[in-house]
Amino acid sequence: MTQTSQWPVPEDSVRYVVPAPIIRLLASHPLTRDLYPLAFGHYRRAAGHHMHREHHSDYLLIYCTEGKAFLNVLGEPHTVEAGDLLLLPAGAHHRYTSDPDNPWTIHWVHYTGPVAEEFRNYMGFSGTTRVRHLGRQPRLLVDFNGLLSVRQTGFRARGLIHAANRLRQLMAAIPLTADETSHEHKAELDTIHNFMREHLDERISLDQLADLAGLSPAHFATRYREQTGTSPIQHFLHLKVERACQMLDTTDLSFADISRRMGYDDAYYFSRLFKKVMGQSPRDYRHTARH
């Protein structure tokens, strides 16, 4: 059984602990055994909330939306504030205390499973990164509240199987919603992506994109990859292939015509690029039954 805090929960807060028999079911069910929740909740203005765990056997994800708390993990101090996402991995002894003058408001979930460590890495946490500042993320709040939707269902197994998969959805979405770039960099990316979409009928170069950002090609390519996880030219190619798929689905244009509209006079060359992205030729894509 997971070790939740003994903070007295007021009426406007929620603590939901999954019963041991349901945990055993989730740990063996093929739809949940890789990752499943043990307890979750939402604490509002949690004055007096504190916890000290020496032996922490599960993972604890906390999203702070208001206030502040003081955290120590493996002897390292941290301050957690509104907009911060905190992950305490299994085995990491820790303690935290809500700021008495500005108590935190949090959504939280204890969870475990064989892929929990993979998700830790996927979400961008590590031995040196305990806290990520995401800012206010409505999508993340929706996903946390989705876990709480199983309340008042009488601990039905189906509801908690659904909650386990909502947890997977929540964590898989974090890299998409994470925002560790400055507003200036976000605006720069928006400008670059708008330029790409407006020039899908052309062949643009890394130099052109770098000029748009006011950077050297090498610096621009490095920063773009850090912010998006891919190269700018690869992203531009994927946008072209997406548009080509749309035209294959919705028009009778030949692939040679589509290639020219995507800026490629050599349809054979674009076909090779298309197949590399989609895993099938344009001809096979067009003639694959999709409903």
Side-chain angles (χ1 to χ4, degrees), residues 31 64 107 138 185 198 208 225 231 271:
L31 296 180
C64 175
H107 285 78
H185 289 173
E198 291 168 1
Q208 286 177 276
R225 183 176 287 278
S231 73
S271 176

Side-chain angles (χ1 to χ4, degrees), residues 95-166:
R95 62 181 181 272
Y96 51 79
T97 302
S98 183
D99 184 343
D101 298 321
N102 187 18
W104 66 355
T105 293
I106 57 173
H107 285 78
W108 56 271
V109 56
H110 287 265
Y111 63 93
T112 190
V115 299
E117 184 66 13
E118 292 297 326
F119 268 106
R120 174 193 180 190
N121 299 329
Y122 182 74
M123 290 187 289
F125 294 100
S126 67
T128 57
T129 303
R130 311 285 185 191
V131 180
R132 299 194 64 187
H133 184 72
L134 306 185
R136 182 169 179 81
Q137 296 288 352
R139 175 175 179 172
L140 189 53
L141 291 173
V142 168
D143 287 340
F144 268 110
N145 286 323
L147 297 178
L148 294 171
S149 68
V150 303
R151 288 186 300 148
Q152 300 177 347
T153 60
F155 299 122
R156 290 182 60 199
R158 288 183 178 179
L160 283 157
I161 289 170
H162 177 66
N165 284 281
R166 288 296 295 263

Side-chain angles (χ1 to χ4, degrees), residues 195-260:
F195 181 84
M196 289 180 179
R197 285 188 286 269
E198 291 168 1
H199 294 81
L200 287 178
D201 59 341
E202 301 175 21
R203 304 279 293 278
I204 61 178
S205 68
L206 179 63
D207 287 352
Q208 286 177 276
L209 296 174
D211 284 343
L212 198 61
L215 300 169
S216 70
H219 186 187
F220 170 71
T222 298
R223 192 160 82 180
Y224 186 93
R225 183 176 287 278
E226 287 174 350
Q227 293 175 349
T228 67
T230 189
S231 73
I233 297 303
Q234 186 75 1
H235 182 70
F236 186 53
L237 172 60
H238 284 195
L239 290 176
K240 285 177 174 286
V241 171
E242 283 181 354
R243 179 68 61 84
C245 287
Q246 181 182 11
M247 286 191 281
L248 287 168
D249 283 337
T250 60
T251 75
D252 294 325
L253 290 170
S254 70
F255 191 71
D257 287 337
I258 291 172
S259 296
R260 281 190 287 273

Side-chain angles (χ1 to χ4, degrees), residues 255-256 259 264-272:
F255 191 71
S259 296
Y264 293 93
D265 292 329
D266 186 345
Y268 177 70
Y269 176 70
F270 186 48
S271 176
R272 286 166 51 205

Side-chain angles (χ1 to χ4, degrees), residues 7 9 12-16 40-44 63 65 105-108 141 145 148:
W7 183 66
V9 181
D12 63 351
S13 296
V14 180
R15 177 190 293 134
Y16 187 99
F40 39 88
H42 178 209
Y43 294 165
R44 295 181 185 272
Y63 181 43
T65 57
T105 293
I106 57 173
H107 285 78
W108 56 271
L141 291 173
N145 286 323
L148 294 171

